[in-house]
Amino acid sequence: MLIIDEHKTAKPINARKPLNTCYHCGLNCLTNNITIEEKYFCCEGCKLVYEIIENKGMCDYYKLQSHPGISQIKPLRSDKYSFLDDKDICTKLYQFTNSELTIVTLYIPSIHCSSCMWLLENLNRLDSGIKESRINFTAKEVTIHFSGKKTSLRKIVELLATIGYEPFINLEDTNTKAAKSFNKPRLIKLGVAGFCFGNIMMMSFPEYLAAKTGMEAQYAYLFRYLNLLLSLPVFFYAATEFYTTAWAGLKQKILNIDAPIVLALGITFLRSVYEIISDTGAGYLDSMSGIVFFMLAGRIVQERAYKSLSFTRDYKSYFPIAVSVITPNGFINKQLQDLKEKDIVILHHEEIVPADATVLTNNALIDYSFVTGEADPVKVAVGEMVYAGGRQKGGELKIQVVKPVAGSYLTSLWNHYAFKKDKEGVNDKISIIHVLSKYFAVILLLLACITAAYWYIYDPTKIVNSVTAMLIVACPCALLLSATFTNSNILRIFGLNGLYLRDATVIEQIAEVNHITFDKTGTVTNGGNSQVVVSGHELSDAEKDLVYSVVKQSSHPNSKAIRAWLGDRNSVVLSSWKEMPGAGLQASAGNTSIIVGSAEYTGVDDVNAKEKATVYINIDERITSIHLHGAFREFMTSVIARLKTRYSLSLLSGDNDKQKGILQNIFGTKSELLFEQKPIDKLKYIQRLQARGKKVMMIGDGLNDAGALQQSNVGITLADDVNNFTPACDAIFDAGKMKYFVSLLDLAKSSGTVVQISFAISILYNVAGLYFAMQGLMKPVIAAILMPCSTMSIVIISSGLCNYIAWRKGLSIQSESNS
C-alpha cells in the first residue's frame, strides 16, 4: 500500500500493547467488557455463538483448533430469510422431501478447518429436528437431513447464520439440475477392473515362477480358467467406455487414441481365450486387465481434480432467490421470476438490485463494479434508473421495477449470442494425442502386414503368433498414459499454486497463447487495497489509536483500507459505536467524539468530495481527509513486467482513464489501454485480436468480463475466493498466488516437452517389443512383465519431470499439510 502524508513522512507505529484475544475467533478485542468466565470476546456476536455452543455442551469445538470461529459476526436481520417460509421456493432447494425426511445441500463459504467440520456435523445437537449433517470440505457444502415436522429450512439457515456459517443461497440453486457428483459408473468400473486385475495377477504368478520346473496340470488348468472368468467383466463391462469413444471417433472418420487401444484389447482377449481353450498357454489376461485398470485410473485422477469448482456459472449464481415486495397488505416475498412492472421492492445494505428499476428514496448508493467495471459506487437520485446486478451500499432503499429480471440489461447482455458462443471456432485444434494415435495405428497395421507377408513366405506357422504378439505388445496405452498422467500431475501442481483449470485441454491452449488481455478493476487493481493520501489535521498517535478502534469494527472497504494504513494499533475502549450504512461511523471515547465517513455525514463542505473516493475523520471538529485510490494487486506490477517481455499485452476497463498514466508506465508504450469499455466492447476487442491471428488469454473478474472470457482462447477469472461467484471461464486463479502466475504459464509451455519425452520412451518400449514380436519370440510372460513395467515407468518419469520443472520455477509441488 502506498501512503502519502502531506504533513510529514510516516513515523513508526507505536509499540503494541498486549491485547486480549477473542476466545471464539482470535481477533484482538477492542474492549474488555465482553466476557464470560474470564473468556474475552471481540463482539457480542462471538459471545452469542459461544453461549449457544456452551449451552449445548459442545465446547470440544474449541479444543480441536484454537480460536476456530468466524470473525465479525453481524447481527441477523429478522426477516432476511423470510422467503424460506415459501414452500414453492423451499421445494426447489430440496434434493428429497416427504412427510418424514427432507434433504438439502447448502453452500457455506466460511468452512475452513476441522473445528468447522466437527460443529457442522453435529448440528443435530443444536436443533433436535436435524437428523444428520455431512460435510463436503472441498466443495464447502453441508448436506442436512431433517424432519419438517420438528424444524424448517428457515430455522436451520438462521441457526447457521447465527453461529457464523451463513449459507450462500442464489437463484441458480432453484434450477433443476443434476447434483454435482463424480462419474460413479467409471468409479465402479475402476473397482471391478482393479479387483479382477489383482486376482488375475495373483493367480498368474505360480505359472510364471514355475516356468522352468512346471506345475501340476490340474492347478494350471484351474488358474487359467479362473483368470478367464475374471477377465469377462473387465472386457465386457469395465472397458466399455473405450469401445464407445472409439466407435464415436470412427463415425466421425477420426482415428482417436481409443481405436488402437480397443484393437489391442480385442486381440489380447481373443488370443488369450484361444491359448487357454487350446491348452497352449496362459494368455495375456493379466496384461489386458492391467491396461484397463491403469487407463481408467488415469482418467479418474484427471476427472476428480476440480469437480468442486464451477467453471460454467452465469448471472443466476449472482442473484438472490427472492426479494421483499411492498403490497397494500404489507410485505411479501416474491421469487425473482415472479417480479412484475411497478412492483415496489425493498433493498437493504449489500443486497443486489434484482431488476431494472427507478429509485423511490433518496439514499441509493449503487456499486456496479461487478457488472460494468466502474470502480466507485455511484449516487442515484430519486426518479433515476438503477440496473439489475448493482449492489446497494447504503441503508434501506425502495425501488420500483421497470423491467423484470428476464428483460433487464444484465440478462439481455448475458443472453447475447456472442456471450453464449462456444469455443469450437476458437479452440478447434485436435489434441496431439489423437494425431499421434492415428499415425501409430497406421504404422502398426502396416508393420503387421509386412510381418505376416514375411512369415507367409518363410514359415507360415509363425504368422498367427507373431502378428497377434505385435498387436498386443505395441498397445498405445503407454502413449495415452504419458499424456494423461502428465496432464493430471500438471493440473495437481497448478491447483497447489492457485490455478484451477476446467480440464486438461486448457493446458495445451495456455501453451499456445501469445497475447494477454487484462481487465482493470478487481483484476489489476484491488478494491480492498488502496493507495492512501492524507491531508488536513495531522492525527496524533492517540487519535490514530482512536480511529483504529472505530474502523476496526466495520467491514466496509474504506474502513478496511484505513485500518490497513494505520497498522495494528493500541485499542481504545469506546463508550459508544454505531454504523450508518452508506454514510459512515460514529463513536465516542470518554469526552472525545469521532465521526468517520462521507463529507455530508461528517459535516465537511468539500466541492471535490464526489470526484474522488475520500473519507473524512472528524475528531471534535478537527478534520482529516483520507483520499483513497485503487491500488494494484500485490505482485501485479512485477508480473506484468515479466509478461510484457514474452507476450503482447492490453488492458480493458469499464472505469474512467484517471489512472491511464500510471498504467501506461506499467504496461509499456506498446500495450493498448482502452477505458470506459462496455462488456460487448470487450468481447469485440477479443474478436479483433483473434482475426489478426492472436491466441488470446483474457484475465477478468466480473460479469462485465463474461463475454470476453468466453470468446478468448483461454479465459481466466481472478478470484479472492475461488469458491465464490465467478463468471463462466476456462480457469479460476487465486488472486493471493499472483506471484506464481508467470511460472505457471511457463510450466504449461513445458508440459508439451514432458509429454514428448514420455512419448519417446513409450515409442522405444514399443520398438523393443516389436523387435521380439516380429521374430515370433514374444511369450506371454514377457508381455505380462513389460506391460505394467512400461506403464509404471511412464507414470514415474512424467511425474518426476513435472515436479522437477515446477520446483526449478519456484512452485509448490506438495500441499502444505504434507510438506
Side-chain angles (χ1 to χ4, degrees):
M1 175 182 292
L2 174 65
I3 304 172
I4 303 174
D5 193 325
E6 294 185 357
H7 304 291
K8 56 175 72 175
T9 56
K11 56 178 82 173
I13 297 173
N14 284 356
R16 301 179 188 174
K17 294 179 182 178
L19 297 171
N20 289 315
T21 299
C22 178
Y23 184 75
H24 177 70
C25 72
L27 287 182
N28 292 332
C29 299
L30 298 176
T31 173
N32 295 332
N33 297 333
I34 307 176
T35 62
I36 298 177
E37 298 176 351
E38 299 184 355
K39 296 179 177 67
Y40 293 91
F41 300 91
C42 64
C43 63
E44 291 293 341
C46 287
K47 178 184 175 184
L48 174 62
V49 175
Y50 171 79
E51 289 176 327
I52 293 173
I53 293 173
E54 195 273 337
N55 288 337
K56 295 294 183 178
M58 299 174 65
C59 283
D60 284 346
Y61 172 67
Y62 298 101
K63 295 178 182 178
L64 294 172
Q65 187 163 322
S66 180
H67 313 300
I70 308 302
S71 61
Q72 296 182 331
I73 299 172
K74 297 297 181 182
L76 183 66
R77 200 177 74 245
S78 60
D79 63 342
K80 181 172 183 178
Y81 290 106
S82 58
F83 66 86
L84 292 177
D85 290 331
D86 187 321
K87 291 184 178 179
D88 291 337
I89 294 176
C90 291
T91 300
K92 292 179 179 180
L93 295 173
Y94 296 151
Q95 293 173 282
F96 173 84
T97 184
N98 62 20
S99 59
E100 299 295 329
L101 175 67
T102 299
I103 303 174
V104 65
T105 296
L106 300 172
Y107 170 56
I108 302 180
S110 54
I111 296 175
H112 66 282
C113 67
S114 56
S115 291
C116 300
M117 296 177 63
W118 183 87
L119 181 62
L120 293 174
E121 291 195 342
N122 285 276
L123 290 175
N124 59 311
R125 296 169 64 178
L126 297 176
D127 185 335
S128 60
I130 297 175
K131 298 181 177 181
E132 181 184 16
S133 53
R134 286 289 177 264
I135 292 292
N136 182 336
F137 185 79
T138 305
K140 296 192 174 184
E141 291 176 342
V142 57
T143 299
I144 299 172
H145 299 219
F146 68 93
S147 168
K149 296 178 181 179
K150 296 182 179 180
T151 189
S152 67
L153 180 59
R154 179 181 178 179
K155 289 180 180 179
I156 292 172
V157 170
E158 288 178 340
L159 170 64
L160 289 168
T162 300
I163 62 176
Y165 296 96
E166 185 170 10
F168 180 67
I169 304 174
N170 56 51
L171 181 61
E172 189 180 37
D173 293 332
T174 62
N175 292 343
T176 302
K177 57 186 178 181
K180 186 189 296 182
S181 62
F182 298 116
N183 190 332
K184 290 184 179 179
R186 183 178 283 174
L187 286 173
I188 295 172
K189 290 176 182 178
L190 177 68
V192 170
F195 172 80
C196 295
F197 171 54
N199 282 281
I200 290 173
M201 283 296 295
M202 181 180 66
M203 286 186 284
S204 298
F205 275 128
E207 188 156 349
Y208 296 156
L209 297 175
K212 292 184 179 180
T213 60
M215 62 183 298
E216 294 186 27
Q218 69 266 29
Y219 294 118
Y221 188 79
L222 173 64
F223 288 155
R224 289 175 183 178
Y225 274 90
L226 285 175
N227 285 346
L228 179 58
L229 181 64
L230 286 168
S231 71
L232 296 179
V234 177
F235 185 76
F236 290 105
Y237 172 67
T240 51
E241 70 175 69
F242 304 111
Y243 310 149
T244 303
T245 52
W247 178 244
L250 291 174
K251 288 195 295 184
Q252 298 290 328
K253 298 182 179 180
I254 297 173
L255 200 61
N256 60 31
I257 190 68
D258 286 338
I261 288 174
V262 169
L263 180 62
L265 290 176
I267 294 297
T268 306
F269 181 75
L270 293 176
R271 167 77 181 267
S272 300
V273 171
Y274 168 77
E275 288 190 3
I276 292 172
I277 293 176
S278 64
D279 198 23
T280 57
Y284 300 78
L285 296 176
D286 47 357
S287 296
M288 184 210 72
S289 56
I291 292 170
V292 175
F293 173 74
F294 282 114
M295 289 192 301
L296 286 174
R299 293 186 179 186
I300 287 174
V301 167
Q302 195 165 287
E303 174 195 10
R304 291 181 68 93
Y306 304 106
K307 278 287 189 177
S308 61
L309 298 175
S310 177
F311 297 91
T312 57
R313 297 173 170 119
D314 64 12
Y315 71 92
K316 294 176 184 177
S317 301
Y318 187 57
F319 279 101
I321 292 176
V323 291
S324 297
V325 176
I326 299 177
T327 69
N329 298 322
F331 292 98
I332 64 169
N333 291 297
K334 266 193 175 184
Q335 297 185 55
L336 253 63
Q337 58 265 37
D338 296 333
L339 282 179
K340 299 177 181 178
E341 289 186 31
K342 297 186 178 181
D343 279 348
I344 297 176
V345 176
I346 296 293
L347 296 178
H348 299 86
H349 180 51
E350 292 289 333
E351 289 187 343
I352 304 295
V353 178
D356 295 353
T358 55
V359 174
L360 301 181
T361 54
N362 193 26
N363 62 337
L365 184 65
I366 308 298
D367 176 8
Y368 285 118
S369 61
F370 210 67
V371 179
T372 67
E374 187 175 356
D376 300 324
V378 295
K379 289 186 177 181
V380 183
V382 173
E384 293 183 352
M385 287 285 294
V386 291
Y387 296 95
R391 187 184 294 272
Q392 165 66 352
K393 288 291 186 179
E396 185 176 279
L397 173 66
K398 290 183 182 179
I399 58 175
Q400 187 171 43
V401 174
V402 174
K403 295 180 182 177
V405 66
S408 68
Y409 162 74
L410 178 64
T411 309
S412 62
L413 173 66
W414 196 276
N415 291 332
H416 190 281
Y417 77 93
F419 281 62
K420 302 177 86 64
K421 179 177 179 175
D422 60 37
K423 298 197 175 186
E424 290 179 2
V426 176
N427 299 316
D428 54 2
K429 178 183 176 183
I430 299 175
S431 171
I432 187 174
I433 302 171
H434 297 309
V435 173
L436 290 175
S437 71
K438 175 182 178 180
Y439 292 108
F440 178 91
V442 171
I443 292 172
L444 176 60
L445 292 175
L446 181 60
L447 288 175
C449 292
I450 293 173
T451 302
Y454 176 85
W455 287 119
Y456 178 79
I457 297 172
Y458 293 100
D459 189 353
T461 61
K462 292 187 177 182
I463 293 177
V464 174
N465 284 340
S466 58
V467 170
T468 55
M470 284 178 63
L471 295 175
I472 291 169
V473 77
C475 173
C477 307
L479 294 176
L480 173 65
L481 289 172
S482 63
T484 300
F485 278 94
T486 297
N487 289 338
S488 297
N489 201 38
I490 288 177
L491 286 174
R492 181 186 66 83
I493 294 171
F494 276 3
L496 290 173
N497 293 276
L499 182 59
Y500 305 91
L501 305 189
R502 171 173 45 81
D503 55 45
T505 61
V506 180
I507 298 172
E508 287 184 41
Q509 294 160 14
I510 290 175
E512 295 175 353
V513 166
N514 54 26
H515 184 97
I516 300 178
T517 298
F518 287 87
D519 169 55
K520 182 178 83 73
T521 305
T523 303
V524 174
T525 62
N526 182 3
N529 190 16
S530 300
Q531 296 174 345
V532 178
V533 179
V534 185
S535 62
H537 168 67
E538 181 182 0
L539 296 172
S540 66
D541 287 336
E543 287 171 334
K544 287 183 179 179
D545 291 342
L546 178 60
V547 174
Y548 172 79
S549 301
V550 173
V551 300
K552 187 173 183 180
Q553 300 186 59
S554 171
S555 60
H556 192 280
N558 289 347
S559 297
K560 292 180 178 179
I562 294 173
R563 186 167 71 241
W565 164 62
L566 289 169
D568 200 357
R569 307 283 307 181
N570 302 324
S571 292
V572 175
V573 177
L574 302 175
S575 306
S576 64
W577 183 92
K578 69 176 181 179
E579 182 173 15
M580 183 66 67
L585 308 167
Q586 188 170 350
S588 61
N591 296 324
T592 303
S593 63
I594 177 173
I595 305 174
V596 180
S598 65
E600 182 181 2
Y601 188 65
T602 55
V604 176
D605 184 15
D606 186 347
V607 294
N608 297 318
K610 296 181 181 180
E611 297 179 4
K612 53 188 176 181
T614 304
V615 178
Y616 297 89
I617 301 173
N618 184 334
I619 302 178
D620 291 337
E621 303 303 323
R622 298 186 297 275
I623 306 298
T624 302
S625 300
I626 308 290
H627 309 290
L628 305 173
H629 305 282
F632 299 107
R633 286 189 180 274
E634 187 179 14
F635 299 110
M636 181 60 77
T637 53
S638 62
V639 165
I640 292 173
R642 294 173 64 189
L643 289 175
K644 66 185 180 184
T645 63
R646 312 177 191 195
Y647 303 88
S648 56
L649 304 179
S650 57
L651 178 134
L652 304 175
S653 175
D655 204 1
N656 57 48
D657 63 354
K658 62 186 178 183
Q659 290 185 299
K660 183 175 181 178
I662 299 173
L663 289 165
Q664 197 75 70
N665 288 334
I666 293 172
F667 277 83
T669 55
K670 295 182 180 180
S671 299
E672 188 173 12
L673 310 184
L674 300 177
F675 297 90
E676 298 182 358
Q677 297 290 292
K678 295 179 180 179
I680 194 67
D681 297 329
K682 294 183 178 183
L683 183 147
K684 290 180 178 178
Y685 177 78
I686 300 296
Q687 289 176 327
R688 290 197 298 271
L689 289 175
Q690 291 171 335
R692 302 204 307 260
K694 296 289 188 180
K695 299 292 187 180
V696 184
M697 174 184 290
M698 173 68 193
I699 304 175
D701 77 309
L703 288 174
N704 57 306
D705 304 315
L709 289 167
Q710 183 71 0
Q711 177 62 37
S712 62
N713 299 80
V714 179
I716 297 181
T717 296
L718 195 64
D720 291 296
D721 184 342
V722 296
N723 290 288
N724 282 352
F725 173 79
T726 53
C729 57
D730 296 304
I732 301 173
F733 185 47
D734 184 349
K737 303 292 184 67
M738 179 54 66
K739 66 180 179 180
Y740 301 121
F741 186 65
V742 180
S743 296
L744 291 169
L745 297 186
D746 291 343
L747 179 61
K749 289 182 177 294
S750 300
S751 65
T753 303
V754 175
V755 172
Q756 289 170 8
I757 292 173
S758 300
F759 277 171
I761 296 171
S762 301
I763 290 170
L764 288 175
Y765 154 76
N766 281 286
V767 168
L770 287 172
Y771 172 78
F772 291 102
M774 292 176 72
Q775 298 180 69
L777 302 176
M778 179 64 66
K779 296 181 179 180
V781 64
I782 299 175
I785 294 172
L786 285 179
M787 186 64 70
C789 287
S790 67
T791 300
M792 293 307 299
S793 65
I794 289 299
V795 173
I796 293 170
I797 291 169
S798 64
S799 298
L801 285 173
C802 289
N803 289 339
Y804 175 73
I805 295 171
W807 174 74
R808 286 293 302 269
K809 295 183 181 298
L811 298 172
S812 298
I813 59 175
Q814 60 180 349
S815 63
E816 293 180 2
S817 59
N818 295 328
S819 60

